[in-house]
Amino acid sequence: MDEMYQRHAELCKVFASPTRLEIVDLLRSKELSVTALVEKTKMGQANISQHLAIMKYKGIVTSRRSGTNVYYALADSRIVAAFDIICEVLAKKRMIGA
Amino acid sequence: MDEMYQRHAELCKVFASPTRLEIVDLLRSKELSVTALVEKTKMGQANISQHLAIMKYKGIVTSRRSGTNVYYALADSRIVAAFDIICEVLAKKRMIGA
DNA sequence: GATAAATATTAGCGTATTCTAATATTCTTA
DNA sequence: TAAGAATATTAGAATACGCTAATATTTATC
């Protein structure tokens, strides 16, 4: 039971980084290569690779190789659902002014 | 746009701690005093108070004083929905064996 | 096989986080 | 107003995190 919260927290840590959230958002509808993610996020390549490695290890994304490119995609569509719920909560907070 | 991911991440950080997740879970159906939360989580009082302060600042919980007791409750029921979605994703991962 | 492009890995620095111990504050009751 | 219960705050240590720079690996093409 206690270990369950630990596992839950480990998974949530994935969403505790702005860069990883941006990656999730970019992958919500289609897979993208590392290069594409680097261009869109305007972050360093090593950094993006590290974040993708973390997300893959946590089971949030999958990867597939095609030539020299590696394409990443979300492993579970419910991730987007959770993402959007947090956005709703944020939007509500804005209105209240918190 | 970029700041949106920052704010989103700040909110998700609340769920990146096993102790805070346990607090959210304990508060899912009813408000509880700090003492009750300390007893149920078996963590130090200072620690629980700190976590509650973080969660209150982030707008995840509300508090109400009654005598010497302070009762905390979830501020938005959708928090539980997001919590449960992550649990579903975790359960699926268990089956796959990741 | 050498070269070039795409991606991954490693090391290290600065910062943030979580916990404990000690102390302070708030509120009730006598 | 003094004492005790509930809660909050502060300081400090150990650990974890996110980024950059440099280097290594993988794959395709010549």
Side-chain angles (χ1 to χ4, degrees), chain A residues 10-35:
Chain A
E10 288 302 320
L11 196 53
C12 287
K13 277 182 191 171
V14 172
F15 310 112
S17 150
T19 302
R20 286 196 291 267
L21 283 176
E22 186 169 6
I23 291 173
V24 167
D25 208 16
L26 288 167
L27 295 180
R28 69 161 53 212
S29 58
K30 57 187 178 303
E31 65 175 13
L32 287 173
S33 68
V34 177
T35 300

Side-chain angles (χ1 to χ4, degrees), chain B residues 21-70:
Chain B
L21 283 176
E22 187 170 5
I23 290 173
V24 168
D25 207 17
L26 288 167
L27 295 179
R28 71 161 54 212
S29 58
K30 58 189 175 304
E31 67 175 12
L32 287 174
S33 68
V34 178
T35 300
L37 288 169
V38 169
E39 286 171 359
K40 286 171 186 286
T41 59
K42 292 169 183 166
M43 309 240 25
Q45 178 266 321
N47 194 14
I48 295 299
S49 270
Q50 283 169 1
H51 282 302
L52 288 170
I54 292 170
M55 294 169 81
K56 186 175 179 184
Y57 176 75
K58 298 283 180 70
I60 301 297
V61 299
T62 58
S63 67
R64 125 187 125 71
R65 180 148 222 148
S66 173
T68 56
N69 296 319
V70 177

